[in-house]
Amino acid sequence: MAATRALLAAISSSCARRIKIQSSTSSSSSSCSILQFQRRESIIIARSFSSDTNSSPDISRLAETARISLTSAEIKECEPKIRQVIDWFGQLQHVDVNSVEPAIRAEMEGGSLREDAPETFENRDSIRASIPSFDETYLKVPKVVNKE
Amino acid sequence: MSTTLLRTIQPNHFTLLGTALFRRNRTTTTSRHISVRCLGSQTASSQPRTAPKNHGSNKLDEILRDYEAVIGIETHVQLSTSTKAFCTCPNTYGSKPNTSICPVCMGLPGALPVLSSKVVDFGVRLGLALNCGLSLKSKFDRKQYFYPDLPKGYQISQFDVPIASGGYVDVDIPLEFGGGHRRFGITRVHMEEDAGKLLHSDTGDYSQVDLNRAGVPLLEIVSEPDMRSGIEAAEYGSEMQRIVRYLGVSNGNMQEGSLRCDVNISIRPIGQAQFGTKVEIKNLNAFSAMSRAIDYEITRQALLYNQGQADQIVTETRLWDEGAQKTVTMRKKEGLADYRYFPEPDLPEVILTQEYVDSIRASLPELPEAKRRRYEAMGLGIQDVLFLANDVSVAEYFDQVIGKGADVKSAANWLMSDIAAYLKNEELSISDVKLTPQELAELIAAIKDETISGKIGKQILFELLAKGGTVQGMIKEKDLVQITDPVEIEKMIMKVISESPKQLEQYRSGRTKLQGFFAGQVMKMSKGKANPALLNKILLEKLDAKE
């Protein structure tokens, strides 16, 4: 059940068809209660897909945010395929999870933390050597005007 | 070393690079200058936080009669851990660029993050210090955007389940701004990693990136929009700095970039329930700048309202121009950014046990608020309280001195006046000083029981601060014991009087101020050791008796 939520969250994050709550809170200074938010989100994710069957994913926007260039032909081609993937996951809608406590993320093994002991990576030279635009001290990058 | 490569940023030359650019600074004043600033508040002259002494502050008062400012602050605290958040690269300030790197923080394929236990520890510590509720289970999320200083193309942060939330902080507004207590809410505290540093190049067609800072652990503190003025905001910021220093989770240097504050401000006509349009202000390098930036922005927004142009206020990020003393547009936000948050698949849940939390709570030091209330209860005035509790080392020193039994008020006075002045002159911090708390207590006691006079006390204080040593030792060595034997004092007085017949006559004929002359002569003769009170009493008797 927890896996369901995580998968849905992953898809919904990259899916251009925004679930209202997810897209509206970009900065962390939203003043709505965070824990309430999380409950709401997990419930609404389950509902909104089934009600939202008619709108298509905005593939061009999706490609833009992922910095992938697509021609309009490619966009046309992608759309139904992405649609299919989402619908295939959509089968999970039919599972009754009303009596299940929402998990905050998919279960994962471990959870062991690391000690705060510094270690220098021995092969920093090869890291720097593999950067095409490295000029002795800094990485040279194009001047970027706006953060996304 | 990297500072020599830094280009000075001209105030009028605002390139629209990321705000990371503006975190680098020319000056490298260190933390002790922050505590010295508090001294400035004792004297009238060097007061960085007062509004300019012109019609400016009156104008602001007028505005605040019609409008209410609603201010919230986002603070990023760089943690003083030995390693980065998710890899074992050393976390040290000032290393040669791009030397503290590894596949994890560079975002190279296949590398996986591993969280440091210290980051969780510091997060819990700060959350508790801010009276927050802790999420015993929290998680990390990816905040995705593309920028040259972000190697992975996403920042590991906490989005919807932060480690701490729902807290508050209590502050005292300094007397010169009206005094009083305030409580400001804390919405949340969460863990995240820092991005690298972006540098501006001279020619302007490319930039440079140093990734030493990428992956350094941060705690982000988001306040409730509870502040209503620049003063309140500055005090909130100062308290954040005080708290992280008291806890030892960060050195809280705004100049170094280990404490960064961004202000969100809107105004609304008084009585209106709806909030106005929010503007973000960045590039604040000092709390005084924060205060002035807020005052400026309130004035700017109010002016637009008054001119019926409130719609000109848009959601945007503005930068504080320290040179021109105004905020300028950086970029207009084209809709809200879409960070496509999703749970970080490479990191497990952060799980806290109640025992773990309790053990950290038990190990918290006395926090600034508790110290202030304790000092107040000891009978110290609020001015003294604010000074002593401002710097954790000074407070510790003070606590040790009174722990040795010294009189509270005297200890406070010595610290606030002579010792503070010495520290400022020599540019030292209290921990550098050679005078031990034990000896200061001795000094206070010696003056109290009149072994030495107050004046002599001040003299040997200077030597003790610089060279150390013991009070008793110095008294013996320099033969400083006060003369309190009336017979001896009388002898000296008679000698002085007999040696100065002319002054005596002048005194007798009405120039009573010459008493000071005689007193001075006796002091000289006694090498400053005569008890002043006794001296003057007997002197007066003798001068007036022969009349």
Side-chain angles (χ1 to χ4, degrees):
Chain A
M1 302 309 140
T4 309
R5 289 224 156 66
L7 275 170
L8 285 172
I11 291 198
S12 65
S13 77
S14 47
C15 174
R17 206 178 20 160
R18 293 294 146 213
I19 297 170
K20 266 180 294 221
I21 289 181
Q22 189 116 5
S23 63
S24 68
T25 46
S26 58
S27 69
S28 50
S29 56
S30 90
S31 48
C32 65
S33 161
I34 299 303
L35 290 175
Q36 277 173 15
F37 167 97
Q38 181 235 327
R39 288 282 123 124
R40 246 188 288 148
E41 177 197 66
S42 47
I43 293 169
I44 288 182
I45 285 178
R47 286 205 218 112
S48 71
F49 277 106
S50 48
S51 58
D52 227 350
T53 40
N54 291 321
S55 63
S56 319
D58 186 346
I59 303 296
S60 54
R61 177 149 173 250
L62 184 62
E64 169 74 34
T65 50
R67 298 293 194 270
I68 298 174
S69 21
L70 294 178
T71 65
S72 39
E74 286 169 322
I75 291 178
K76 268 217 168 79
E77 197 194 314
C78 263
E79 226 173 287
K81 292 184 181 171
I82 293 184
R83 170 92 247 167
Q84 278 179 300
V85 172
I86 295 173
D87 286 345
W88 185 77
F89 276 107
Q91 294 177 88
L92 295 166
Q93 298 299 308
H94 302 302
V95 181
D96 176 13
V97 292
N98 282 321
S99 53
V100 180
E101 185 66 27
I104 59 175
R105 71 179 304 294
E107 199 95 338
M108 182 177 163
E109 230 186 67
S112 50
L113 301 173
R114 162 180 68 81
E115 233 187 83
D116 188 34
E119 267 172 41
T120 311
F121 186 70
E122 334 84 27
N123 212 350
R124 291 166 294 164
D125 286 326
S126 65
I127 294 183
R128 288 186 284 256
S130 67
I131 300 171
S133 68
F134 192 73
D135 70 1
E136 277 164 39
T137 350
Y138 293 102
L139 278 78
K140 198 167 159 189
V141 296
K143 195 172 126 184
V144 178
V145 170
N146 269 328
K147 263 195 176 154
E148 183 177 0
Chain B
M1 195 206 248
S2 36
T3 50
T4 60
L5 299 168
L6 178 66
R7 309 281 177 248
T8 317
I9 298 172
Q10 309 300 320
N12 298 320
H13 181 269
F14 274 100
T15 58
L16 297 175
L17 286 177
T19 57
L21 176 59
F22 295 99
R23 293 182 198 133
R24 290 292 288 268
N25 245 291
R26 292 160 272 185
T27 56
T28 50
T29 45
T30 60
S31 59
R32 67 178 101 93
H33 283 254
I34 304 292
S35 34
V36 168
R37 175 186 70 76
C38 189
L39 299 181
S41 65
Q42 308 294 325
T43 62
S45 48
S46 56
Q47 179 45 268
R49 283 208 242 139
T50 332
K53 290 183 177 70
N54 54 21
H55 48 270
S57 54
N58 292 333
K59 199 162 111 187
L60 196 64
D61 287 335
E62 260 180 60
I63 292 173
L64 290 173
R65 260 180 256 145
D66 300 319
Y67 298 101
E68 180 184 50
V70 177
I71 300 160
I73 297 181
E74 281 170 27
T75 308
H76 289 87
V77 180
Q78 236 174 41
L79 301 181
S80 52
T81 55
S82 311
T83 60
K84 292 188 177 183
F86 301 109
C87 63
T88 51
C89 286
N91 175 16
T92 43
Y93 181 75
S95 325
K96 182 158 178 269
N98 293 303
T99 50
S100 187
I101 56 174
C102 77
V104 179
C105 51
M106 295 289 274
L108 299 185
L112 291 174
V114 182
L115 179 62
S116 144
S117 54
K118 197 123 214 162
V119 175
V120 180
D121 181 295
F122 282 6
V124 172
R125 222 166 268 275
L126 186 58
L128 290 174
L130 296 176
N131 306 290
C132 293
L134 295 174
S135 298
L136 295 182
K137 281 188 178 185
S138 65
K139 66 169 167 72
F140 286 101
D141 300 286
R142 290 189 183 179
K143 178 176 178 177
Q144 304 177 84
Y145 62 97
F146 291 96
Y147 207 62
D149 63 4
L150 195 65
K152 296 191 290 290
Y154 58 86
Q155 175 196 29
I156 299 179
S157 175
Q158 293 187 297
F159 174 56
D160 53 342
V161 192
I163 190 165
S165 55
Y168 60 86
V169 65
D170 290 312
V171 306
D172 285 285
I173 305 288
L175 276 182
E176 59 265 32
F177 300 116
H181 299 295
R182 296 281 190 284
R183 173 170 287 194
F184 301 126
I186 304 280
T187 312
R188 52 185 278 153
V189 178
H190 69 255
M191 307 179 279
E192 61 183 22
E193 54 172 355
D194 210 345
K197 263 193 191 141
L198 199 53
L199 296 173
H200 169 53
S201 84
D202 266 350
T203 59
D205 56 0
Y206 68 93
S207 301
Q208 296 168 311
V209 179
D210 169 15
L211 292 174
N212 279 353
R213 203 183 65 180
V216 163
L218 299 175
L219 283 173
E220 178 173 339
I221 307 164
V222 182
S223 81
E224 292 286 332
D226 288 346
M227 278 72 80
R228 295 284 173 268
S229 72
I231 307 298
E232 290 189 358
E235 198 50 45
Y236 169 89
S238 303
E239 188 70 4
M240 286 300 114
Q241 184 184 64
R242 241 169 256 133
I243 291 177
V244 301
R245 287 176 175 176
Y246 263 67
L247 292 173
V249 304
S250 169
N251 62 23
N253 283 339
M254 282 189 94
Q255 286 83 354
E256 249 175 52
S258 41
L259 185 86
R260 300 172 227 151
C261 289
D262 298 329
V263 169
N264 290 298
I265 175 173
S266 66
I267 66 171
R268 60 184 171 184
I270 291 193
Q272 183 181 297
Q274 197 191 18
F275 288 128
T277 311
K278 195 167 65 170
V279 169
E280 186 182 18
I281 307 178
K282 288 177 118 87
N283 195 35
L284 300 165
N285 297 319
F287 302 126
S288 55
M290 196 191 294
S291 185
R292 280 176 273 125
I294 288 173
D295 289 348
Y296 176 87
E297 189 60 21
I298 293 176
T299 311
R300 183 189 80 93
Q301 292 190 13
L303 193 64
L304 290 172
Y305 262 93
N306 286 338
Q307 294 172 340
Q309 293 179 336
D311 53 348
Q312 296 270 333
I313 305 172
V314 292
T315 305
E316 60 168 339
T317 302
R318 295 175 76 88
L319 296 172
W320 173 245
D321 181 342
E322 184 68 28
Q325 290 286 297
K326 48 198 269 256
T327 62
V328 285
T329 308
M330 176 187 184
R331 58 167 182 255
K332 302 243 195 292
K333 277 204 168 113
E334 297 123 8
L336 289 171
D338 179 6
Y339 293 115
R340 291 151 280 136
Y341 287 97
F342 73 95
E344 170 57 72
D346 297 335
L347 289 169
E349 269 172 28
V350 180
I351 298 176
L352 310 171
T353 61
Q354 195 56 51
E355 295 80 49
Y356 176 73
V357 173
D358 292 339
S359 76
I360 292 191
R361 185 181 277 122
S363 75
L364 290 180
E366 185 184 37
L367 293 172
E369 173 64 13
K371 254 206 220 300
R372 288 192 293 259
R373 302 287 73 86
R374 179 164 66 88
Y375 289 172
E376 250 187 339
M378 281 196 261
L380 290 168
I382 192 71
Q383 200 78 318
D384 297 6
V385 165
L386 292 180
F387 177 87
L388 293 167
N390 182 56
D391 180 333
V392 61
S393 331
V394 170
E396 232 168 71
Y397 193 96
F398 175 72
D399 284 337
Q400 281 181 51
V401 174
I402 58 178
K404 307 273 184 218
D407 167 52
V408 168
K409 190 63 188 164
S410 309
N413 284 340
W414 282 107
L415 274 168
M416 286 174 62
S417 53
D418 297 77
I419 298 182
Y422 176 80
L423 293 177
K424 184 168 181 185
N425 272 334
E426 307 294 315
E427 296 200 340
L428 293 172
S429 78
I430 190 91
S431 10
D432 300 326
V433 125
K434 301 258 178 14
L435 172 70
T436 64
Q438 169 74 38
E439 289 308 315
L440 181 57
E442 283 273 350
L443 185 65
I444 293 171
I447 296 174
K448 193 142 191 230
D449 62 25
E450 302 201 331
T451 308
I452 52 172
S453 70
K455 198 154 168 205
I456 301 251
K458 283 202 184 211
Q459 286 170 14
I460 63 176
L461 174 78
F462 195 76
E463 194 164 328
L464 287 168
L465 283 169
K467 305 209 196 101
T470 64
V471 172
Q472 293 302 330
M474 216 158 270
I475 291 179
K476 277 208 183 72
E477 189 191 312
K478 302 191 185 216
D479 182 30
L480 298 172
V481 179
Q482 201 171 200
I483 300 172
T484 47
D485 180 3
V487 171
E488 242 194 276
I489 293 186
E490 193 176 325
K491 264 195 236 159
M492 288 193 278
I493 290 176
M494 298 315 292
K495 186 141 190 279
V496 165
I497 288 181
S498 64
E499 283 174 0
S500 329
K502 185 155 160 252
Q503 285 82 355
L504 183 63
E505 212 182 295
Q506 285 175 326
Y507 180 86
R508 293 278 164 71
S509 48
R511 287 182 64 181
T512 48
K513 279 207 172 148
L514 280 174
Q515 175 183 1
F517 166 79
F518 288 106
Q521 294 296 94
V522 176
M523 270 300 190
K524 212 156 89 186
M525 183 180 290
S526 70
K527 297 202 187 65
K529 291 189 283 179
N531 178 306
L534 207 50
L535 161 59
N536 276 302
K537 176 160 159 272
I538 301 177
L539 178 63
L540 208 53
E541 275 173 27
K542 294 297 163 200
L543 286 173
D544 294 339
K546 295 212 177 122
E547 205 147 16

